[in-house]
Amino acid sequence: MNNTKYVFVTGGVTSSLGKGIIAASLAKLLQERGYSVTIQKLDPYINIDPGTLNPYEHGECYVTDDGAETDLDLGHYERFLNIPTSQANNVTTGRIYQSVIDKERKGEFLGKTVQVIPHITDEIKHRIQILGNTGDYDIVITEIGGTVGDIESLPYIEAVRQLEWELGEHNTLVIHLTLVPYLAAAGELKTKPTQHSVKMLMQSGVSPDILVCRSEHEISDDIKRKLALFCNVKKQDVIQSLDAETIYDVPNLMLKEGLDKVVLDKLKLPSDALPHMEKWNNFLQKHKNPKNCVEVGLIGKYVELHDSYKSITEAFIHAGSTHETKVNVRWIHSEELQPETIPEKLKGLNGILVAPGFGDRGIEGKIAAVQYARENNIPFFGICLGMQMAVIEYSRNVLGLAGANSTEMKKGTPHPVISLMEEQKDITNKGGTMRLGAWDCEIKENSKVFDAYNSTMISERHRHRYEFNNEYKEQIEAAGMIATGVNPKTGLVEIVEVPSHPWFVGVQYHPEYKSTVLNPHPLFVNFIKAALEQSKK
Ligand code: GLN
C-alpha cells in the first residue's frame, strides 16, 4: 500500500465551467511545491474513446505517447504539467463496461449477477487507483466529466463515495466546481444554483470539501459565508474563480485564492514551501507583453469550432511567447478557398498552417493554400493531412503529375502519391486502428527540422492511416521536395521540406501534442520565427 492521495473534481450547475483547467492549475501549483502529481479524466459517455467522435461533437482528439486517443483535457494536463499522460489518464464508460463484460464472458464472475453496483463501480475504483498504485505520484487528481445530476455520471459519484470511505479521512477530498451567476436585473450574485447542485451531490452520499465558484464578479465575504453555511463547508473552503484573461493565468489566480494550500492542509501534507512559479511566470510575462505581432492562417474544415484545433492554437501561444510575439490566428475554412478567393483570403498572412483532417471535404482548398504559400514564399507548416496535401500539390504543380492524389480521397487516382500502408489494407474496424502514438524519426542534418530540433533522432506522435508513397520518393526529391525525416525501421517518410523556400515543412506526425508551456515545440518555435522574419520584409 502506498500513500497516494486522491483529489476528485466534480462539476455542477452547467457544463463548460473549466474543470480541466482548474484541475490542471491545482496540479501545477502542487507540482511546483515539490509534489508529484498526475491528472485523470473519467468521461461518462459510451464510446470507448473519443477517436470515433466528430471534432464538432467533442473538439480535438488528443493522442498520447502510448497511442491512446483521448479527451482534449489531457492536452491541458500535459501543457500545464510538462509530463506525459497515457491511456490510464482517460477512461470512458464504454471502456469500463467493455472490461466488465469481457470479464463476465471469461467467467470471472461465474454464478453472480453482474450489476452496476458493485461490478461497474469496482471497475471505476480500480481505474482510478491504477495511477496511484504505480507509486509514482503523491497525488492523483481525478476529474469526473459531465455535471452532477446527469444519469450517466451516477456510478462515478458512487465510486467516489466508496473510495472516500475505503481510503479514509485525509487521503481523499472532493472539489466541486460550480457557477455563481450574476443577475444584472437584480444586480446580485446568486448562490441558489450552487446550493442545489451541492444538495444533488449530497443525495448521492458525497459532500464536497471545497467549492470552487466560477463567477464573472468578485464574490464578497458575505456570499462566501452564505455558500459555506448552506453547502456545509468552511468559509475558507469557498474559492472564487473569476474569468481569466488567459487559461495560463488560472494557476496564479488559484494560488492567490489559496486553493493549493487548502487542499494540502486537508490532505495533511506540508504546505510551507511556496510553489516555484518563476519559469511559468516568465512565460506569462512574455506572452502578455509581446513586442511583435504576426498573423498566421489556420486552414481547416472544422474552423467553426476552435476547440477542434486546441493543441495547435496552444502551441502557437507557447512559441509566440518564446519570441515575445503575439500570434494572431486567421481562421480559414478550406471549403471557402477557391482560385478566385485565395488571394483575398490569404492576403497579408505571415505564415500558413494546413491542419490535420480526414476525408475529402475541403481538400482542394487546402491544396490551393499550399500552392499559394509555396509560390509566394510564405512560411508553410503542414501537419498530417496538411503534409499530405503539400506532397500532392508538389506532385501536381511541380512534377506535373496530373490528378496526383491520396487514395483516401480518390481510390483510382493515376498518381497515388499518398496511399494506404500495407498493414492498414485489411483493417475494417474504425476505433483505435490507425498508426497511433510515438514513433521514431531520423532527421537529415542540413535541414530546417534539424535546425529546430538540433538532433538527428526524434520521437513524435501519430494519428493517421495514409502515408507518403515511397514509389514516388526519388522523383519528388529530384524535383526539389526532400524527405528530411524518415522512420528508421520502416522507411516511411515523416517529414518533407522544400529547401529553396524560406520555410516549407510538412510533417506526417502531430508536433502540436507535445508543445507545453515550459517546452514550446521547436517546429512551432521556428515556424513563428520564420513568420516573424516574413513580417519584417
Ligand atoms: N486522413 C489522413 C490519414 O488518415 C490524415 C490524418 C490526420 O491528419 N490526422 O492519413
Side-chain angles (χ1 to χ4, degrees):
M1 172 105 186
N2 59 57
N3 295 325
T4 302
K5 314 252 183 185
Y6 295 87
V7 173
F8 300 101
V9 181
T10 58
V13 185
T14 71
S15 58
S16 306
L17 289 182
K19 284 197 294 281
I21 299 297
I22 291 292
S25 299
L26 170 62
K28 183 77 216 165
L29 294 172
L30 298 174
Q31 184 191 50
E32 294 299 349
R33 282 177 184 265
Y35 292 98
S36 57
V37 192
T38 190
I39 319 175
Q40 175 188 46
K41 170 108 191 250
L42 304 181
D43 274 313
Y45 53 73
I46 298 176
N47 303 64
I48 300 289
D49 59 45
T52 50
L53 285 171
N54 186 321
Y56 286 129
E57 289 266 329
H58 204 69
E60 166 188 282
C61 173
Y62 185 78
V63 179
T64 56
D65 276 334
D66 65 345
E69 297 180 274
T70 73
D71 186 78
L72 59 72
D73 271 341
L74 271 78
H76 290 309
Y77 306 162
E78 289 203 11
R79 289 188 282 273
F80 276 57
L81 294 184
N82 204 32
I83 54 169
T85 54
S86 69
Q87 181 64 72
N89 295 73
N90 191 197
V91 180
T92 68
T93 293
R95 207 170 271 279
I96 300 274
Y97 270 79
Q98 190 183 47
S99 70
V100 171
I101 292 169
D102 283 350
K103 284 182 193 160
E104 188 275 336
R105 292 289 83 183
K106 283 189 203 141
E108 288 186 28
F109 310 116
L110 218 51
K112 294 270 180 274
T113 309
V114 180
Q115 295 178 294
V116 173
I117 301 172
H119 301 97
I120 295 298
T121 45
D122 278 354
E123 182 65 27
I124 295 173
K125 288 191 290 179
H126 165 69
R127 297 289 182 141
I128 292 172
Q129 288 174 288
I130 283 180
L131 287 164
N133 290 341
T134 60
D136 294 341
Y137 305 105
D138 302 317
I139 302 163
V140 174
I141 300 179
T142 298
E143 177 192 346
I144 316 271
T147 308
V148 165
D150 296 347
I151 291 175
E152 52 199 27
S153 23
L154 280 174
Y156 292 96
I157 304 293
E158 169 61 13
V160 169
R161 188 195 67 76
Q162 292 183 19
L163 269 182
E164 288 214 282
W165 187 85
E166 286 169 11
L167 299 175
E169 223 185 334
H170 310 311
N171 290 321
T172 61
L173 69 81
V174 174
I175 298 175
H176 190 53
L177 177 64
T178 74
L179 175 71
V180 176
Y182 179 77
L183 278 198
E188 271 181 342
L189 286 172
K190 290 296 182 188
T191 64
K192 195 77 83 189
T194 299
Q195 294 181 42
H196 280 298
S197 127
V198 168
K199 272 209 183 98
M200 194 105 72
L201 196 55
M202 284 173 149
Q203 272 169 14
S204 306
V206 171
S207 308
D209 299 282
I210 297 170
L211 293 180
V212 175
C213 303
R214 280 295 302 272
S215 175
E216 288 171 359
H217 295 266
E218 200 76 35
I219 301 181
S220 68
D221 265 2
D222 273 353
I223 293 192
K224 281 191 182 167
R225 201 172 300 116
K226 189 171 168 189
L227 281 164
L229 175 66
F230 290 116
C231 299
N232 221 18
V233 296
K234 295 205 182 76
K235 195 181 132 239
Q236 73 255 29
D237 301 337
V238 179
I239 305 284
Q240 71 171 357
S241 168
L242 297 175
D243 291 353
E245 186 187 320
T246 139
I247 54 169
Y248 299 112
D249 272 338
V250 179
N252 284 324
L253 293 174
M254 289 301 103
L255 177 64
K256 193 167 145 246
E257 295 296 322
L259 176 63
D260 55 329
K261 175 141 176 47
V262 174
V263 165
L264 289 171
D265 291 348
K266 284 188 189 295
L267 295 175
K268 292 266 181 284
L269 291 170
S271 66
D272 347 305
L274 273 179
H276 293 290
M277 297 299 285
E278 298 77 10
K279 284 188 194 147
W280 184 274
N281 290 338
N282 180 39
F283 153 83
L284 258 185
Q285 162 71 19
K286 289 198 282 179
H287 169 52
K288 290 183 153 189
N289 302 288
K291 298 202 170 81
N292 316 287
C293 177
V294 294
E295 189 178 20
V296 295
L298 196 160
I299 324 280
K301 67 168 170 175
Y302 309 112
V303 291
E304 300 90 336
L305 183 70
H306 294 185
D307 268 2
S308 305
Y309 303 105
K310 195 77 206 162
S311 293
I312 292 177
T313 51
E314 297 308 306
F316 280 148
I317 291 175
H318 309 153
S321 165
T322 305
H323 297 296
E324 299 178 283
T325 295
K326 178 153 178 41
V327 179
N328 286 321
V329 176
R330 191 188 298 174
W331 297 89
I332 301 166
H333 203 299
S334 48
E335 280 182 307
E336 287 168 8
L337 290 181
Q338 278 103 34
E340 0 23 290
T341 60
I342 287 235
E344 171 226 324
K345 294 245 178 221
L346 304 184
K347 197 170 146 212
L349 288 175
N350 309 120
I352 290 178
L353 185 146
V354 176
F358 294 84
D360 63 357
R361 187 163 68 92
I363 66 143
E364 291 303 325
K366 287 188 169 177
I367 293 170
V370 178
Q371 182 176 10
Y372 181 86
R374 186 176 57 77
E375 291 177 348
N376 293 285
N377 285 329
I378 298 169
F380 166 81
F381 197 4
I383 298 184
C384 208
L385 184 69
M387 172 268 201
Q388 298 175 353
M389 294 305 112
V391 172
I392 293 170
E393 192 279 323
Y394 210 79
S395 305
R396 287 185 190 174
N397 300 330
V398 180
L399 280 79
L401 301 177
N405 215 327
S406 160
T407 54
E408 177 182 9
M409 316 306 168
K410 200 162 176 59
K411 281 223 157 49
T413 165
H415 295 292
V417 290
I418 305 293
S419 65
L420 207 54
M421 284 178 282
E422 220 30 68
E423 64 263 35
Q424 283 284 339
K425 287 192 174 145
D426 298 321
I427 294 176
T428 48
N429 270 6
K430 289 281 182 243
T433 55
M434 286 185 256
R435 179 149 87 109
L436 289 166
W439 293 81
D440 288 339
C441 168
E442 203 174 340
I443 282 180
K444 285 201 178 119
E445 290 184 33
N446 262 326
S447 64
K448 297 277 189 317
V449 280
F450 181 79
D451 294 346
Y453 286 101
N454 200 17
S455 164
T456 52
M457 194 58 96
I458 57 158
S459 165
E460 291 279 5
R461 299 180 193 172
H462 292 244
R463 182 172 188 251
H464 62 110
R465 283 182 214 288
Y466 294 83
E467 298 281 354
F468 182 104
N469 183 347
N470 271 329
E471 282 177 23
Y472 287 88
K473 190 168 160 204
E474 229 181 272
Q475 286 184 63
I476 290 177
E477 290 205 316
M481 174 180 265
I482 309 297
T484 52
V486 171
N487 180 301
K489 284 211 184 82
T490 59
L492 290 172
V493 171
E494 300 277 12
I495 307 170
V496 294
E497 292 187 28
V498 177
S500 60
H501 183 283
W503 207 89
F504 189 105
V505 175
V507 292
Q508 185 58 80
Y509 51 83
H510 290 263
E512 70 275 21
Y513 294 144
K514 283 181 54 165
S515 187
T516 71
V517 165
L518 297 190
N519 268 328
H521 194 284
L523 287 183
F524 278 86
V525 169
N526 278 18
F527 173 59
I528 296 304
K529 185 168 166 232
L532 201 52
E533 279 158 16
Q534 199 280 347
S535 75
K536 289 181 177 148
K537 274 180 196 153

